[in-house]
Amino acid sequence: MPETAPRSMFEKLLYLGIATFFLWPFVQLWSVKALPLFESDGHLRASVALENLMESALSRPFERSYTSGFEPVKGCEDLDLMGRIEVLVHPDFPASVLVRAQVRWGMFPLVKSLNLECLKARTRP
Amino acid sequence: MINRRKGITLWELGLFTIFLAVAGGASVFFFFLNSSDMKKAQQKFAWVQEINDILDEVVSEISNSVQLEHPFNSSSRECFFRASSDTGNLLPSVFEEGFVFTDNSLTYVSRSPSVASGPKRLGRFANPLITNCRDGKFTRVMPDSLEIYFRADSPDGSGTTREFVRVVHLRNQ
């Protein structure tokens, strides 16, 4: 006689039910994005810093190509927020330039970044 | 040979332990979610988000203005501009709209020859737009760039102060 008999289908369904019962709250948390993984306040500050970076990039004198390295964003040193501006010729429309602002923060395996792009024409309407 | 009873196997024991740990962790976590600390943090986040929504409106109003009149080169507590009308033509320069930091609040005002400084509504936000804000100023950092800066106090009386800085690209300058 074997030491243990295999579990029946009913018992396996019972295990599945118990597992669902325990894990369902976490599924719900995931669906409402309320997991503390998403650091909401830092995210909000980073998005505002990104908008400010984009506005200052748009205020710069016109250039067809410009790339800055990642520099610390003023006022967000506690987040270690780094921002970068890129200006490049649009690959499809050579008369326009693409302005891209990028911020990133967080430690290496959990680096978060936000990007914002804007198309800028040389002539104003 | 010993005839054992059908007992619980090792992997079932492991599974049971994991469930127990998950349940314990979950109950602690849900108590934390219900705690007053978490509620305070949520209220603070809602307050910051509200101010940022208002600032989004303010920035879009200033950046789409036809001509920025008042902070010409340095910083000021007021900002006045000539807004674009619905029909697209430019109003006379005596009709101006603006934002003013007065009495620890940010107010949207309009001035015309007949009315000196009438309070006005900005979109879905009523005057005063932001209350409990200090050291508010508009700084012209570049000919086509304006900076809005102020510090706001949390309305729950906890003494929390938060700095808000917005850069506005003046698209029509």
Side-chain angles (χ1 to χ4, degrees):
Chain A
M1 186 184 170
E3 203 166 284
T4 53
R7 297 296 183 201
S8 69
M9 179 58 79
F10 173 73
E11 283 167 318
K12 282 176 184 163
L13 281 177
L14 209 60
Y15 294 151
L16 190 70
I18 294 168
T20 313
F21 179 79
F22 276 118
L23 299 177
W24 188 243
F26 296 97
V27 176
Q28 283 179 320
L29 278 182
W30 178 265
S31 64
V32 300
K33 292 191 171 65
L35 280 181
L37 241 70
F38 299 99
E39 220 263 284
S40 310
D41 190 56
H43 223 277
L44 185 59
R45 284 176 62 194
S47 63
V48 170
L50 180 67
E51 280 179 41
N52 283 346
L53 203 63
M54 176 52 98
E55 295 284 303
S56 56
L58 291 176
S59 304
R60 289 171 57 84
F62 186 86
E63 268 177 291
R64 290 190 71 78
S65 164
Y66 170 78
T67 307
S68 74
F70 276 101
E71 289 160 9
V73 176
K74 196 161 69 76
C76 297
E77 288 87 357
D78 54 326
L79 265 183
D80 280 338
L81 198 70
M82 309 286 274
R84 177 167 79 160
I85 297 170
E86 279 176 289
V87 181
L88 46 132
V89 180
H90 194 280
D92 296 334
F93 310 108
S96 308
V97 292
L98 194 67
V99 182
R100 181 185 294 148
Q102 192 177 8
V103 291
R104 71 171 185 202
W105 73 106
M107 295 295 286
F108 155 63
L110 299 169
V111 172
K112 299 177 187 176
S113 71
L114 290 174
N115 292 289
L116 197 60
E117 286 183 354
C118 184
L119 198 63
K120 194 177 178 188
R122 173 150 199 152
T123 52
R124 280 206 288 250
Chain B
M1 184 180 168
I2 303 162
N3 195 5
R4 285 192 204 161
R5 286 178 58 208
K6 281 195 299 180
I8 190 162
T9 59
L10 192 63
W11 72 272
E12 281 171 340
L13 198 66
L15 204 64
F16 178 71
T17 315
I18 288 173
F19 284 166
L20 213 61
V22 166
S27 62
V28 168
F29 179 62
F30 290 139
F31 268 108
F32 166 67
L33 276 189
N34 271 331
S35 67
S36 57
D37 276 0
M38 196 68 187
K39 277 179 188 144
K40 264 186 210 159
Q42 283 170 342
Q43 279 167 4
K44 189 182 162 199
F45 179 72
W47 164 65
V48 172
Q49 203 170 29
E50 168 82 8
I51 291 184
N52 274 315
D53 285 349
I54 294 168
L55 279 178
D56 283 341
E57 282 287 318
V58 170
V59 165
S60 111
E61 197 73 18
I62 294 177
S63 66
N64 291 310
S65 66
V66 177
Q67 193 173 5
L68 194 81
E69 298 280 354
H70 176 43
F72 185 72
N73 50 9
S74 60
S75 65
S76 166
R77 289 169 60 191
E78 305 176 335
C79 160
F80 280 100
F81 52 87
R82 290 165 76 181
S84 56
S85 68
D86 295 338
T87 50
N89 47 14
L90 186 59
L91 293 171
S93 63
V94 284
F95 293 102
E96 283 184 346
E97 297 183 1
F99 297 95
V100 183
F101 284 106
T102 44
D103 301 334
N104 289 345
S105 63
L106 177 66
T107 321
Y108 182 43
V109 294
S110 65
R111 46 182 193 198
S112 62
S114 54
V115 186
S117 225
K120 226 182 142 184
R121 211 185 150 77
L122 178 69
R124 63 198 168 95
F125 303 108
N127 265 332
L129 299 175
I130 301 166
T131 50
N132 289 332
C133 56
R134 293 181 282 117
D135 306 337
K137 62 181 178 193
F138 299 91
T139 312
R140 191 81 174 255
V141 284
M142 273 191 267
D144 58 351
S145 164
L146 185 81
E147 190 186 84
I148 307 171
Y149 169 88
F150 63 90
R151 282 189 293 149
D153 294 329
S154 175
D156 60 357
S158 60
T160 315
T161 304
R162 187 103 180 216
E163 282 188 359
F164 292 88
V165 182
R166 284 295 181 114
V167 180
V168 190
H169 170 53
L170 307 167
R171 281 153 178 77
N172 299 317
Q173 304 304 309

